[in-house]
Amino acid sequence: MVNVGILGATGMVGQRFIELLGDHPDLELTTLTASKRSAGKKYEDAVTWYLDCKIPEIARNITVVDTDPNEVKDVDIVFSALPADIARIVEPQFAEAGMVVASNAAAMRMEPDVPLVIPEVNPEHLELVELQRKNRGWDGFIVTNPNCSTIALAMTLKPLYDQFKLEKVYVSTMQAVSGAGYNGVPSMAIVDNLVPFIGGEEEKMENETLHLLGDLDGNTVTPASFGVSASCHRVAVLDGHTEAVFIEMSEEFNVDEVKKSFHEFQGLPQKLDLYSAPAAPIIIREEENRPQPRMDRNAEHGMAVTVGRIRKDNVFNKTLKYILVGHNTIRGAAGASILNAELINEIIL
Ligand code: NAP
């Protein structure tokens, strides 16, 4: 067994980690950290539990410790669910102390020697780990997963990027409130409403998507060269991000070929049969009113992205349109980090 800890274990993403690690066959949860406000309390007393399952036994009685590597003993991998400003300071400290940090936070994602990875999309970027250790003199290392809305988009773009020539991608998101964390969006702001701005989100989607689909050339990732333009919106949905995607191709395409490409898409996690890997990373729904967040976010235990309304645009030539739904705190956060850790455990540790 590999001993693991969660940094920021009391938050929205931290809770998902606990749920997903509750019965993991290879990763043993031993340590939970949070802010000084929570440190010293039993987990069940420190957390405002929001998931619709009981707090797993494995976590209930663990005493939460401060997010400090000196407080964390005998742990191989820490999952980071910390706010980005805190992550920027403490994640390097954990890596320096010899631990593998699998992070959800944005802080280190675009550092040139830190892999930003979706295992089905760009597992080869993990080669940057060697450079990172050399550059920084760390025994451990940091690997990041992208932002929640980017993960779902990039998973659907990968098979298309491999088969067609993409010119421009426009994406309009309808993002769940859990994406902003427990204290993120006040109910008075979102009930009966929609907020047409999420700070920093559009830039993350535009930059991270091209980075994920970019080529690792020696020690540098050269971003993919098509255009991505995002418009991000918060909606009154608890979990599950929906995205309307418009792709301008450079050549005519056939919708059946697009569907085939989604349907057949598999990556390294499926080949290696990793525990958290969905059998089908992309699920196609043919009904005209799907996907919907409440009905499709839990597909493949929340690890698959569901795509529907795949069609040619009637107005713009050579333009493909579809809608996707992905679970933002599972595939878009905790599940993504756990799959990264399973891959690291298989090919690096
Ligand atoms: P959250 O609900 O606000 O939880 C934040 C966690 O960090 C809590 O455990 C909190 O502990 C801890 N924390 C806060 N200040 C701290 C400090 N000064 N020192 C140590 N720990 C501290 O946030 P979240 O939604 O889970 O997001 C966590 C990270 O994941 C963020 O970087 C976010 O951008 C990223 N992310 C989130 C999603 C999503 O869908 N929510 C998706 C992808 C990525 P206390 O309870 O003690 O305050």
Side-chain angles (χ1 to χ4, degrees):
M1 290 292 267
V2 175
N3 286 345
V4 302
I6 302 170
L7 314 181
T10 49
M12 297 269 81
V13 175
Q15 294 181 32
R16 281 291 178 200
F17 273 118
I18 288 173
E19 182 194 24
L20 298 176
L21 291 169
D23 55 1
H24 199 287
D26 308 313
L27 307 177
E28 172 131 18
L29 182 61
T30 60
T31 304
L32 302 174
T33 88
S35 74
K36 291 195 189 312
R37 292 180 290 277
S38 307
K41 295 181 187 164
K42 276 205 308 189
Y43 184 72
E44 65 178 350
D45 298 328
V47 70
T48 305
W49 187 254
Y50 117 102
L51 301 180
D52 55 10
C53 59
K54 285 187 176 167
I55 302 177
E57 278 310 315
I58 190 172
R60 187 178 287 282
N61 290 314
I62 292 183
T63 300
V64 177
V65 295
D66 195 9
T67 306
D68 174 343
N70 297 316
E71 299 282 336
V72 175
K73 305 280 177 243
D74 300 323
V75 166
D76 308 295
I77 299 176
V78 288
F79 294 107
S80 170
L82 293 166
D85 54 337
I86 312 295
R88 176 163 292 285
I89 299 164
V90 304
E91 287 178 1
Q93 296 170 352
F94 279 84
E96 191 173 9
M99 286 170 252
V100 175
V101 181
S103 176
N104 272 285
M108 305 293 288
R109 280 183 199 146
M110 300 307 279
E111 294 281 315
D113 60 354
V114 174
L116 173 68
V117 172
I118 301 173
E120 285 93 340
V121 173
N122 62 333
E124 68 283 2
H125 287 200
L126 284 174
E127 286 171 28
L128 285 171
V129 160
E130 220 173 291
L131 175 72
Q132 185 191 134
R133 281 173 142 167
K134 197 163 136 226
N135 282 352
R136 303 183 188 238
W138 293 341
D139 288 334
F141 56 87
I142 301 174
V143 170
T144 59
N145 54 259
N147 152 284
C148 42
S149 41
T150 307
I151 292 185
L153 176 67
M155 281 176 65
T156 64
L157 291 183
K158 170 68 176 167
L160 302 179
Y161 183 64
D162 287 347
Q163 193 175 337
F164 304 93
K165 186 153 180 3
L166 316 185
E167 291 282 336
K168 292 175 185 164
V169 174
Y170 301 92
V171 57
S172 178
T173 70
M174 291 145 270
Q175 299 184 215
V177 288
S178 60
Y182 192 80
N183 296 316
V185 187
S187 54
M188 283 300 285
I190 197 72
V191 174
D192 186 32
N193 207 10
L194 176 156
V195 181
F197 174 70
I198 304 176
E201 193 82 354
E202 293 170 359
E203 294 79 359
K204 284 181 201 160
M205 286 195 85
E206 291 163 359
N207 297 329
E208 292 175 13
T209 301
L210 296 175
H211 192 89
L212 288 158
L213 293 171
D215 288 329
L216 178 64
D217 184 8
N219 289 335
T220 314
V221 175
T222 307
S225 57
F226 59 89
V228 179
S229 174
S231 184
C232 296
H233 319 104
R234 188 75 68 196
V235 296
V237 166
L238 211 50
D239 288 316
H241 289 351
T242 304
E243 303 178 19
V245 185
F246 303 73
I247 305 178
E248 199 180 304
M249 310 271 202
S250 65
E251 287 163 8
E252 284 297 339
F253 63 93
N254 182 310
V255 168
D256 286 337
E257 277 173 15
V258 169
K259 288 184 180 174
K260 187 164 180 280
S261 156
F262 282 151
H263 181 68
E264 290 178 352
F265 178 52
Q266 297 259 298
L268 190 55
Q270 287 71 34
K271 289 196 186 90
L272 296 174
D273 199 19
L274 299 179
Y275 177 73
S276 303
I282 300 176
I283 291 174
I284 299 175
R285 301 294 315 204
E286 294 290 355
E287 303 91 320
E288 62 188 11
N289 63 353
R290 299 283 283 274
Q292 297 180 15
R294 215 171 59 205
M295 300 174 88
D296 295 304
R297 60 193 171 204
N298 289 323
E300 296 260 9
H301 306 285
M303 289 299 284
V305 177
T306 303
V307 176
R309 304 206 60 221
I310 304 165
R311 62 215 192 273
K312 266 192 181 175
D313 194 276
N314 289 329
V315 179
F316 297 116
N317 208 8
K318 299 182 228 164
T319 297
L320 168 72
K321 299 198 280 194
Y322 58 89
I323 312 290
L324 68 81
V325 164
H327 199 302
N328 54 299
T329 60
I330 302 180
R331 185 69 223 212
S337 284
I338 291 173
L339 195 56
N340 274 349
E342 290 169 6
L343 183 58
I344 289 165
N345 191 29
E346 188 80 19
I347 68 175
I348 301 183
L349 295 186

